[in-house]
Amino acid sequence: MITNAIKLPSTWIPPKYHPGKQVKQGEIIGMEYHPPGTKRARELGKGWFYTVMIDELEDDVEIIKESAIELPSGEDLLSEIDSLDSLAQTCHSKIASLEEQLKEIKQLTANAS
């Protein structure tokens, strides 16, 4: 999220989105503003452009104009939450199993001394 430490010029239009935001295309990891009248604005268009990580496993990124950003649906978000919750539960089970194994090893080591 943009913090108070980042000051935008008053002539800039505030961005709609921020780094870390999940959008339909992926996760926003960067942003760039092209003020009207600049070379980049003439070449690429004016306004905010977002660097979106399409696939974090592949490091695929795409530059997307603010007007082309799509927000995920409620169903998409719920599906992602369910998937991550399932992964978290699996990780917690794995951690509990490893902690139990570590406890057994410590007991065996203590008994062997």
Side-chain angles (χ1 to χ4, degrees):
M1 185 179 329
I2 294 179
T3 65
N4 291 337
I6 298 173
K7 300 289 184 195
L8 301 177
S10 61
T11 56
W12 289 16
I13 297 167
K16 288 184 182 176
Y17 310 107
H18 55 80
K21 175 96 173 157
Q22 291 294 320
V23 295
K24 196 165 200 158
Q25 296 95 326
E27 179 182 353
I28 295 174
I29 61 169
M31 45 201 294
E32 180 177 318
Y33 185 70
H34 302 170
T38 61
K39 182 179 179 183
R40 286 191 67 82
R42 285 190 299 277
E43 291 174 354
L44 303 171
K46 65 182 181 181
W48 286 100
F49 287 77
Y50 298 86
T51 304
V52 177
M53 184 178 294
I54 305 300
D55 183 348
E56 62 187 34
L57 298 176
E58 299 292 327
D59 288 336
D60 289 340
V61 297
E62 188 174 322
I63 307 298
I64 304 173
K65 187 168 176 59
E66 187 170 76
S67 61
I69 293 287
E70 297 178 50
L71 295 177
S73 69
E75 287 178 4
D76 290 341
L77 292 174
L78 285 173
S79 176
E80 181 73 11
I81 289 168
D82 287 344
S83 175
L84 291 173
D85 186 49
S86 177
L87 177 61
Q89 289 177 16
T90 299
C91 289
H92 286 302
S93 295
K94 181 79 172 175
I95 289 169
S97 174
L98 291 171
E99 286 175 337
E100 184 62 34
Q101 289 178 29
L102 182 60
K103 184 178 172 182
E104 290 171 6
I105 290 171
K106 285 181 178 180
Q107 286 177 347
L108 289 172
T109 304
N111 291 340
S113 299

